[in-house]
Amino acid sequence: MQLTVKSPYSPSGDQPEAIKSLSEGVLAGVKNQVLLGVTGSGKTYTMSKVIEATQKPTLIISHNKTLAGQLYQEMRDFFPDNAVSYFVSYYDYYQPEAYVPSSDTYIEKTADINDKIDKLRLQSTTNIMTRNDVIVVASVSCIYNIGDPREYGKFELPIYQGLKTDWKTLGESLIKMQYSRSEFEFTRGTFRLRGGNFDIYPAYQDTAYRISLENDAVTTITEFDPISGKNIPSTSDLNQVGIVIYPAKHYLLDQERFLKVEAEIKRDLEKEYTQLKNANKLVEAQRLLQRTNYDLETMKELGFVNGIENYSRYFDGRAIGERPYALPDYFKHRYGDDWLCIIDESHMTLPQIRGMFNGDQARKRTLVDYGFRLEAAMDNRPLKFNEFYEIPAHFIHVSATPDAWELEQAGDKIVEQLVRPTGIVDPEIEIRPAEGEIQDVIKEIKLRAEKEERVLVTTLTKKTAEDLTGYLKEQGIRASYLHSDIKTLERTDILDSLRKNEFDVLIGVNLLREGLDLPEVTLVAILDADREGFLRSRVSLIQTMGRAARNIKGEVILYADKITDSMREAISEIKRRREYQVTFNKKHNIVPSNINKPLRERIIDGSESTAVWDTLNSVETKQSLELDITALTPRDKARWVKRLERDMKKLASDMQFELAIQVRDKLRELKGE
């Protein structure tokens, strides 16, 4: 299928030249190009038109999950008929395995895996293996080890009408692919026997398949909704084309392969055990022996063990020190050099990629030295920058403030996109004293709230963002905060709530800088603008001020007692761009107008849990009955509804019926019933 953009927009301003130049560069085999586009200039649209023009499967990498989520939504809108996927870290909470020698503290790996993001990750690799019209939007976590694509591709189960098989064979094949049998709870990655039919719920999709057999042969294949059980009409006759089931996990273990490498693992275990003993590290030696033997036995019995990725070097057949396989390798394996890698906000994304290896190795070195892991664990790691850089044949680095490295690599292949399609120019900038900045910000927020306009405020720390949010609420201002502690999927919901006018001001740290597209924002207020450092550097200030460039009323206020070098350079660059834009508009008789950007569907259909309460507390429940509903924002109401619904059910099951009735009545009040 062709990669086809569907959009009511047409390229305008300097977009046509940018699309033409970048597309020609990709098709001519150019390794590096830079798209230097100001905020709000439609860089994402330009990217989509380049993908359409080149017809290349594309990996888009963003430096954080929030921006990756926004890009995924936009690309899904631009390419509704194509395979657009989302690949970010699937952890809502992640504590890596670690050891602190000074206190003799071992920290076991703990993680809260988001099942829905896991589905999207598996969907990404499945799409790559099966389709050519593929766009994957990923965070920098895509350079971590996910196993050999060659091995992943071996684990597939084709099912078609007339296939000679039986229930036992199907079940054994699925178990090898890390599916599990479940008769009572039919969830992703499970299968069951039901009424003489064999049901399979693939780990990477929202629908399931029902397989009917007769005389040890497949007779019919039906797609159905696993919740309602209703059949789903398919665009193609499944009985004619068949289906292919792909693995439920990225880390897979072929038993034949395991037998071959088990001896190699045991040889390394004996060698490293002896080395530790000879160094008089008897505790460490015994620890290594017990842990490794336990893992081997578990893998032999179950085909999987928590931490199996630490043995990936053996299963991949890699030499000591040889790099692992990551998501870009799946593109390379499937498409060779005929694909495109776009680095979004490259000035932030590339430094992150550069730094990931060293941080990972320091932690693992300690685990190996103290007998918690074999030396092979050091090769379960993210890619080094040079290893990542050599995989794609075509890069487009996208940023309003690209670093010197990308500019140097691109040479003369630098495309500037300074004009916004709607004619909006860069915002006016005002510097105000830092003394009394909070009261001044409050005044500015209230002025804009009256006109249903929105405000962004940036602080230097997460704690300040939270405290300021609380203070503003006390002043009767509808406020919320956004920072890295907020769950992945909830971040997008918060941004949507701001756009829906559910609150007036959003307060954050660096998450309010790159890539956020909020056309309702008319003011960006930067607190402590004169505090030189990463968050108040030239690049950071330009990016932050760019959040006000989506609205014709956009303004920026810098609160500072002095003008730093970074402030001076940032203000100068914004002024240069503004003058260019004003001249362009006059030359082409363009009258600036606001961006009309529709709200998109959620990344994940259905309600993602936003509850912050995990256990039932009767005292807290009773206190919740005194809630002043008039003081709650719509988003706060939604959170309380979710909590009280859970509490009501729990109270009823515990036979606390009187309190359950009170909670029910409060729920009705919250819902306006």
Side-chain angles (χ1 to χ4, degrees):
M1 181 179 288
Q2 291 280 303
L3 286 155
T4 305
V5 173
K6 293 188 176 180
S7 170
Y9 311 115
S10 301
S12 60
D14 45 11
Q15 284 180 330
E17 183 55 36
I19 295 165
K20 181 175 181 292
S21 180
L22 292 168
S23 301
E24 288 177 350
V26 172
L27 295 172
V30 175
K31 173 84 170 180
N32 287 285
Q33 299 183 90
V34 168
L35 173 60
L36 196 164
V38 298
T39 54
S41 62
K43 294 191 293 293
T44 304
Y45 180 66
T46 298
M47 289 156 54
S48 70
K49 294 299 287 185
V50 170
I51 294 170
E52 180 184 52
T54 60
Q55 288 296 307
K56 293 189 181 296
T58 301
L59 171 62
I60 304 173
I61 304 178
S62 180
H63 72 277
N64 70 46
K65 293 178 177 179
T66 303
L67 300 186
Q70 181 172 294
L71 272 171
Y72 168 64
Q73 290 179 311
E74 291 176 335
M75 287 295 166
R76 194 171 60 173
D77 285 350
F78 285 141
F79 297 94
D81 300 326
N82 300 117
V84 181
S85 308
Y86 185 59
F87 191 98
V88 300
S89 170
Y90 52 26
Y91 299 118
D92 282 334
Y93 169 77
Y94 179 61
Q95 171 59 63
E97 183 183 28
Y99 178 66
V100 184
S102 59
S103 58
D104 189 27
T105 303
Y106 172 70
I107 303 168
E108 192 172 358
K109 173 183 171 181
T110 56
D112 181 11
I113 293 177
N114 188 305
D115 186 65
K116 294 172 182 174
I117 294 181
D118 185 34
K119 179 200 77 174
L120 291 170
R121 284 168 61 92
L122 288 163
Q123 190 179 73
S124 297
T125 48
T126 302
N127 284 344
I128 293 169
M129 290 296 186
T130 59
R131 300 181 64 161
N132 292 321
D133 60 329
V134 169
I135 299 169
V136 177
V137 180
S139 66
V140 291
S141 63
C142 71
I143 70 166
Y144 274 92
N145 178 24
I146 60 169
D148 189 343
R150 295 169 300 179
E151 287 298 310
Y152 182 83
K154 290 179 183 177
F155 288 87
E156 58 180 44
L157 176 61
I159 302 174
Y160 49 89
Q161 194 176 53
L163 174 69
K164 294 293 185 181
T165 187
D166 53 42
W167 306 132
K168 183 181 178 184
T169 303
L170 280 175
E172 289 175 347
S173 299
L174 287 166
I175 287 170
K176 288 180 180 178
M177 297 163 65
Q178 293 303 310
Y179 285 79
S180 57
R181 181 170 178 173
S182 178
E183 297 299 331
F184 301 105
E185 190 176 10
F186 193 47
T187 56
R188 287 191 318 104
T190 64
F191 65 92
R192 69 185 181 189
L193 280 171
R194 178 65 58 89
N197 294 315
F198 196 91
D199 294 345
I200 307 171
Y201 195 166
Y204 43 84
Q205 62 185 50
D206 297 318
T207 57
Y209 296 110
R210 178 159 292 139
I211 315 299
S212 300
L213 274 75
E214 190 174 321
N215 298 323
D216 291 340
V218 174
T219 55
T220 59
I221 304 169
T222 308
E223 190 172 8
F224 70 95
D225 184 326
I227 298 174
S228 66
K230 294 181 179 179
N231 289 349
I232 298 173
S234 181
T235 54
S236 58
D237 187 351
L238 298 182
N239 292 311
Q240 293 294 321
V241 301
I243 59 173
V244 179
I245 305 297
Y246 290 89
K249 289 184 172 63
H250 282 123
Y251 291 107
L252 294 168
L253 183 57
D254 187 317
Q255 283 298 97
E256 292 183 12
R257 180 88 177 140
F258 174 74
L259 294 174
K260 291 179 182 177
V261 303
E262 183 184 20
E264 187 180 351
I265 295 172
K266 286 185 173 180
R267 281 196 302 271
D268 283 353
L269 172 60
E270 184 178 353
K271 175 184 171 184
E272 293 176 34
Y273 172 78
T274 303
Q275 288 173 343
L276 289 169
K277 281 189 67 177
N278 291 341
N280 203 32
K281 294 183 175 181
L282 303 182
V283 173
E284 290 84 349
Q286 189 61 30
R287 179 188 293 146
L288 183 65
L289 186 68
Q290 289 179 340
R291 287 177 63 89
T292 308
N293 281 330
Y294 171 81
D295 285 350
L296 285 171
E297 287 299 316
T298 305
M299 285 188 282
K300 186 183 291 185
E301 291 297 319
L302 304 178
F304 188 82
V305 69
N306 192 27
I308 190 173
E309 63 273 14
N310 290 297
Y311 301 94
S312 60
R313 189 185 78 193
Y314 299 106
F315 301 119
D316 294 343
R318 292 185 276 129
I320 296 173
E322 186 178 350
R323 73 168 183 83
Y325 298 98
L327 184 65
D329 288 296
Y330 281 69
F331 277 86
K332 184 79 171 182
H333 171 71
R334 179 69 170 77
Y335 308 116
D337 289 336
D338 194 26
W339 59 284
L340 174 63
C341 183
I342 297 176
I343 309 295
D344 188 51
E345 304 294 351
S346 59
H347 66 284
M348 291 294 295
T349 304
L350 292 177
Q352 283 201 21
I353 292 174
R354 287 191 184 94
M356 290 165 71
F357 172 79
N358 289 333
D360 176 86
Q361 291 292 281
R363 177 179 57 82
K364 287 205 175 82
R365 184 74 266 164
T366 304
L367 289 167
V368 170
D369 289 347
Y370 285 87
F372 290 94
R373 290 292 174 193
L374 288 172
E375 185 74 29
M378 299 297 295
D379 291 325
N380 168 46
R381 57 174 178 82
L383 299 175
K384 298 176 184 177
F385 181 77
N386 64 307
E387 294 169 340
F388 161 73
Y389 180 65
E390 70 183 12
I391 301 173
H394 312 287
F395 281 103
I396 295 177
H397 308 280
V398 181
S399 174
T401 52
D403 280 347
W405 185 87
E406 308 95 275
L407 296 173
E408 182 183 345
Q409 297 302 311
D412 62 348
K413 299 297 182 181
I414 300 169
V415 178
E416 279 200 324
Q417 192 169 294
L418 302 181
V419 178
R420 298 180 176 90
T422 59
I424 295 176
V425 300
D426 276 23
E428 294 278 8
I429 301 169
E430 184 180 355
I431 301 174
R432 294 185 184 178
E435 185 177 354
E437 59 185 4
I438 301 303
Q439 293 307 313
D440 193 73
V441 163
I442 290 174
K443 181 186 71 175
E444 294 292 341
I445 294 170
K446 288 181 176 179
L447 284 173
R448 285 160 178 81
E450 290 174 1
K451 296 179 283 188
E452 296 192 351
E453 297 169 2
R454 304 319 175 258
V455 177
L456 296 182
V457 178
T458 63
T459 66
L460 288 172
T461 67
K462 291 188 283 190
K463 180 72 164 54
T464 305
E466 293 176 8
D467 291 347
L468 180 56
T469 301
Y471 180 73
L472 293 179
K473 285 183 175 180
E474 291 173 2
Q475 305 304 307
I477 294 172
R478 301 183 303 165
S480 186
Y481 63 83
L482 181 70
H483 56 58
S484 57
D485 290 347
I486 304 293
K487 287 184 177 182
T488 303
L489 300 175
E490 193 176 350
R491 296 176 197 175
T492 303
D493 292 342
I494 292 171
L495 296 173
D496 285 346
S497 294
L498 179 71
R499 295 197 61 202
K500 291 175 182 175
N501 198 24
E502 293 178 3
F503 51 89
D504 303 308
V505 56
L506 180 62
I507 302 159
V509 191
N510 61 337
L511 286 179
L512 297 187
R513 281 182 19 223
E514 294 87 0
L516 296 188
D517 196 355
L518 305 168
E520 295 79 12
V521 170
T522 60
L523 173 65
V524 171
I526 302 176
L527 306 183
D528 301 306
D530 54 359
R531 297 279 293 275
E532 276 281 19
F534 172 69
L535 293 176
R536 297 295 182 264
S537 66
R538 171 189 173 274
V539 169
S540 294
L541 288 171
I542 290 173
Q543 290 284 351
T544 305
M545 290 189 288
R547 298 315 106 206
R550 269 53 175 206
N551 193 294
I552 57 175
K553 299 179 182 178
E555 298 177 63
V556 174
I557 300 176
L558 303 176
Y559 290 95
D561 290 326
K562 62 181 180 183
I563 298 178
T564 63
D565 290 341
S566 293
M567 288 173 61
R568 189 176 294 104
E569 291 173 13
I571 293 169
S572 176
E573 176 61 15
I574 295 294
K575 183 180 178 182
R576 179 188 77 85
R577 295 176 182 181
R578 181 180 172 89
E579 288 174 351
Y580 178 90
Q581 294 155 357
V582 170
T583 303
F584 186 95
N585 286 350
K586 286 181 179 177
K587 182 179 178 181
H588 296 87
N589 297 315
I590 297 173
V591 178
S593 60
N594 279 333
I595 294 171
N596 183 16
K597 187 178 179 69
L599 282 163
R600 296 177 173 85
E601 295 179 4
R602 298 188 48 169
I603 294 175
I604 305 290
D605 294 330
S607 177
E608 182 70 18
S609 175
T610 58
V612 295
W613 309 276
D614 297 315
T615 56
L616 179 65
N617 185 311
S618 294
V619 175
E620 291 179 359
T621 301
K622 289 176 181 177
Q623 290 174 345
S624 71
L625 301 177
E626 306 300 322
L627 275 173
D628 180 5
I629 293 176
T630 60
L632 299 178
T633 67
R635 183 167 171 270
D636 289 336
K637 284 183 181 180
R639 292 165 70 92
W640 276 106
V641 165
K642 194 164 190 69
R643 184 220 172 138
L644 293 179
E645 282 177 342
R646 187 215 59 186
D647 286 0
M648 181 179 67
K649 292 175 183 177
K650 181 70 172 123
L651 288 165
S653 67
D654 292 345
M655 298 185 181
Q656 299 184 53
F657 298 116
E658 289 186 11
L659 187 53
I661 291 169
Q662 294 178 56
V663 172
R664 180 202 63 191
D665 293 341
K666 194 67 179 182
L667 267 171
R668 288 175 175 173
E669 188 183 351
L670 277 165
K671 293 177 179 179
E673 297 177 352

